[in-house]
Amino acid sequence: MKYIYISTGCTFGNMFSVAFVSMVLPFLPMLPKQILLTNVISDVPYLSITSDNVDDSQIQNPGKWDISVIRKYMLIFGIHSSFFDGLTFLVLWFVLKADEATFQTGWFIESIMSELLILFIIRTHKKFYQSRPGKYLLIFALLSFAFTLALPYLPMASSLGLVPLDSLTLGLMLSIVALYILTGDFLKVWFFKKLVKH
């Protein structure tokens, strides 16, 4: 269920945003190879979900497959994700007036960071800091996080269409991700408290 919630929420929102912004920009917001790499990097920690810790409150009763809950989740968190993608677009295009490669790199980093960190929000129904993640989930997420930040500065970056970001652009991207995570945590707690029958 953790994987399904992540895939239907964050990933759905990100891909919807890329499709929409592609109709507005004079270039692709992310190249196809960048989108594939985004999925590869962000999916690495998901491989360890089966070894993740589970809150006691979530195993008191058998879990139920409820497609209506998944549909609501996909809609609410997809909109939430798309809102912050839209904010990223506005900052990169209108505020920073980024060129093509800088725009794609900024969106690439924002997309991966948001997908990596939202995992720690969605993996629990509690506030994220009240639930301890599994060791392997944390290790793989940190490795993916570090690799993403380093990637634009590695020799292979140019072949992927990535360029180094200046401190202002990188700082703004990370700030958007931080705001996304904080609001996502509040939204998650509200969702499971108000819209999910226990």
Side-chain angles (χ1 to χ4, degrees):
M1 288 307 296
K2 291 178 185 181
Y3 184 83
I4 290 171
Y5 280 137
I6 293 163
S7 297
T8 56
C10 181
T11 305
F12 170 78
N14 282 347
M15 293 305 102
F16 176 81
S17 300
V18 169
F20 175 77
V21 174
S22 295
M23 298 186 293
V24 180
L25 288 174
F27 52 82
L28 292 174
M30 270 203 289
L31 300 174
K33 57 188 173 184
Q34 293 169 345
I35 293 175
L36 289 173
L37 186 57
T38 296
N39 289 330
V40 170
I41 295 174
S42 61
D43 278 354
V44 167
Y46 299 172
L47 297 174
S48 63
I49 283 180
T50 54
S51 67
D52 189 24
N53 297 328
V54 182
D55 298 335
D56 290 338
S57 59
Q58 289 182 251
I59 56 176
Q60 296 301 317
N61 298 300
K64 295 180 180 179
W65 178 266
D66 190 337
I67 195 67
S68 66
V69 171
I70 296 173
R71 190 184 306 114
K72 290 175 187 175
Y73 187 94
M74 181 177 72
L75 181 62
I76 292 171
F77 283 84
I79 291 172
H80 176 254
S81 178
S82 290
F83 173 82
F84 281 91
D85 283 334
L87 180 60
T88 302
F89 163 68
L90 292 174
V91 169
L92 285 169
W93 188 243
F94 292 103
V95 177
L96 297 173
K97 302 188 184 305
D99 59 27
E100 181 176 349
T102 301
F103 188 103
Q104 291 167 345
T105 303
W107 198 307
F108 175 82
I109 288 177
E110 185 273 342
S111 293
I112 295 180
M113 294 301 179
S114 63
E115 287 195 42
L116 286 174
L117 294 176
I118 200 66
L119 171 58
F120 293 95
I121 303 301
I122 294 172
R123 59 169 294 278
T124 175
H125 294 182
K126 301 177 181 179
K127 290 286 188 182
F128 73 93
Y129 54 81
Q130 295 176 330
S131 178
R132 184 178 177 182
K135 178 176 67 174
Y136 295 110
L137 179 65
L138 185 59
I139 290 172
F140 285 130
L142 289 173
L143 289 174
S144 297
F145 195 95
F147 179 69
T148 301
L149 287 178
L151 193 53
Y153 305 92
L154 298 178
M156 70 179 80
S158 58
S159 64
L160 297 169
L162 301 174
V163 294
L165 297 180
D166 59 58
S167 57
L168 175 61
T169 303
L170 181 59
L172 286 173
M173 293 302 98
L174 294 179
S175 297
I176 290 171
V177 171
L179 188 57
Y180 169 68
I181 294 306
L182 290 174
T183 55
D185 197 44
F186 282 110
L187 187 62
K188 180 269 312 272
V189 172
W190 171 84
F191 179 86
F192 285 110
K193 187 175 291 186
K194 300 294 184 181
L195 299 182
V196 178
K197 295 178 181 178
H198 299 285

